[in-house]
Amino acid sequence: MIASPPRTIRIGSRKSQLALVQTHWVQSELQKAFPGHTFEVHTMSTQGDKILDVALAKIGDKGLFTKELEVGMLNGDIDFAVHSLKDLPTRLPEGLMLGCVTEREDPADALVVHEKHKDKQLDTLPEGAVIGTSSLRRLAQLRHHYPHLAFKDVRGNLNTRLAKLDAGEYDALILAVAGLKRLGMGDRIHQTIPSDVSLHAVGQGALGIECRTEDPEILAVLKVLEHTPTAQRCYAERAFLRELEGGCQVPIGVHTVIEGDTLTLTGLVASLDGQTLIKDTVSGAPETAEQLGIDLAHRLKEQGAQAVLDEIFATIQRG
């Protein structure tokens, strides 16, 4: 525990139910670690929360769910912000940094089905079954493995999406295991999708806490929540994404494990139609996580990933 004068520390959060569950967990853990401080939650609506009738990829993703919170930190209105790490861009505004990465929940994707398909899995859903997902990463990989299925964009918070599924607008949804579990909806997970079918998003399942670079006291407070193995895995993934200059709305997937003193990172770049999947794996010491991510990005570029990404960016801009 760090000895410092009692103060009120302001935590920034989006207003969504999942964001608040995650932020209140951070608030509770820090309050236990620093009983002398007061931790207040301040909520804000981000651009991504407000625009719900346009596909994420068409809005662009430069701070889609983070910009308003970042402005709040730079203005001194809040001291740090809690994000789902997968929403946090790999290049942060000057004056801000990723101060802490928390222990990761299962980063896999989940299949959630309509009641009428309760005896089905991904590979047994009928031809033409409508799958809801707003993620180009999920879309490209599932199109590759299950070309007989139909895919339709779905937006809104978790409860909104599940209500649309239950009303029969979709036969199934693809959602993050972590979000469902954190909201106490783990019983809706019908199938955890294996990594050989769908590599997860960079940072999926972990919380990233962003703070000012010139605030050592806040940084010291946040470090009590740091989970080093998760941080190493996520730094490798974020370096991979940053080197490819991809955003969270590009079909780039990852999978990382640490076994003993070896970190293994698998990465993938896919075309939107799922016809092209470029995939490779690197391994090395966890302490070299960022370099491993950079090395893997270069390997995929050598195998044609840049041309695939260029075509995707052009398609999105045309759309």
Side-chain angles (χ1 to χ4, degrees):
M1 194 169 309
I2 293 90
S4 57
R7 59 175 283 194
T8 297
I9 295 174
R10 297 152 301 170
I11 310 172
S13 174
R14 291 167 59 196
K15 292 181 178 178
S16 77
Q17 183 185 5
L18 178 57
L20 286 170
V21 165
Q22 294 173 166
T23 301
H24 286 141
W25 176 82
V26 169
Q27 178 190 33
S28 173
E29 292 298 305
L30 291 178
Q31 194 65 73
K32 284 187 278 188
F34 300 95
H37 292 331
T38 301
F39 294 89
E40 293 180 350
V41 173
H42 295 250
T43 60
M44 302 179 187
S45 290
T46 66
Q47 185 186 18
D49 296 313
K50 296 170 185 172
I51 305 175
L52 296 175
D53 57 349
V54 181
L56 289 175
K58 292 180 180 176
I59 306 172
D61 69 297
K62 299 294 187 204
L64 191 58
F65 294 107
T66 60
K67 186 176 180 182
E68 287 80 359
L69 293 162
E70 290 173 337
V71 169
M73 280 183 279
L74 292 171
N75 287 345
D77 298 328
I78 55 175
D79 295 301
F80 64 85
V82 180
H83 307 287
S84 292
L85 186 55
K86 68 181 177 62
D87 293 334
L88 189 63
T90 56
R91 299 181 192 277
L92 301 181
E94 188 172 351
L96 299 177
M97 65 179 287
L98 178 55
C100 167
V101 178
T102 66
E103 186 169 6
R104 192 173 218 168
E105 178 57 88
D106 185 345
D109 291 328
L111 176 72
V112 180
V113 298
H114 188 276
E115 173 71 12
K116 66 185 177 185
H117 297 302
K118 63 183 179 182
D119 60 338
K120 301 288 195 295
Q121 301 265 298
L122 258 177
D123 55 3
T124 55
L125 282 168
E127 184 167 353
V130 177
I131 314 298
T133 175
S134 58
S135 160
L136 297 182
R137 170 189 59 80
R138 291 169 178 155
L139 178 64
Q141 293 182 90
L142 293 176
R143 273 180 173 160
H144 178 82
H145 292 284
Y146 307 106
H148 62 286
L149 299 177
F151 297 93
K152 181 179 167 185
D153 197 60
V154 59
R155 291 292 312 280
N157 62 37
L158 210 49
N159 288 320
T160 300
R161 295 183 195 199
L162 290 170
K164 290 178 179 180
L165 170 69
D166 295 338
E169 292 183 40
Y170 303 86
D171 292 292
L173 300 177
I174 309 296
L175 301 167
V177 168
L180 288 163
K181 285 189 173 181
R182 288 191 177 120
L183 285 177
M185 298 179 186
D187 60 329
R188 293 299 304 257
I189 297 172
H190 190 69
Q191 178 187 5
T192 298
I193 302 173
S195 60
D196 60 353
V197 171
S198 183
L199 294 184
H200 60 73
V202 167
Q204 187 160 306
L207 304 184
I209 305 181
E210 188 180 15
C211 63
R212 290 182 289 270
T213 49
E214 301 301 324
D215 199 339
E217 185 182 342
I218 290 296
L219 191 58
V221 165
L222 296 179
K223 284 302 179 186
V224 303
L225 295 182
E226 178 94 350
H227 187 253
T228 300
T230 298
Q232 290 169 330
R233 290 165 64 192
C234 291
Y235 288 145
E237 295 171 13
R238 286 172 63 80
F240 170 69
L241 181 63
R242 186 167 51 240
E243 196 67 19
L244 288 173
E245 297 183 351
C248 62
Q249 302 314 321
V250 172
I252 292 174
V254 292
H255 181 69
T256 48
V257 292
I258 294 178
E259 294 175 333
D261 57 0
T262 302
L263 185 155
T264 300
L265 168 66
T266 299
L268 165 144
V269 172
S271 60
L272 292 177
D273 61 8
Q275 295 294 306
T276 303
L277 295 187
I278 300 172
K279 187 174 177 180
D280 211 335
T281 299
V282 295
S283 295
E287 296 75 24
T288 64
E290 294 211 16
Q291 189 58 50
L292 287 172
I294 292 167
D295 292 346
L296 182 58
H298 289 167
R299 284 172 69 155
L300 263 62
K301 284 183 178 181
E302 289 168 4
Q303 296 169 43
Q306 194 62 58
V308 173
L309 290 172
D310 289 345
E311 173 58 28
I312 290 166
F313 294 135
T315 301
I316 291 171
Q317 285 169 356
R318 287 197 300 269

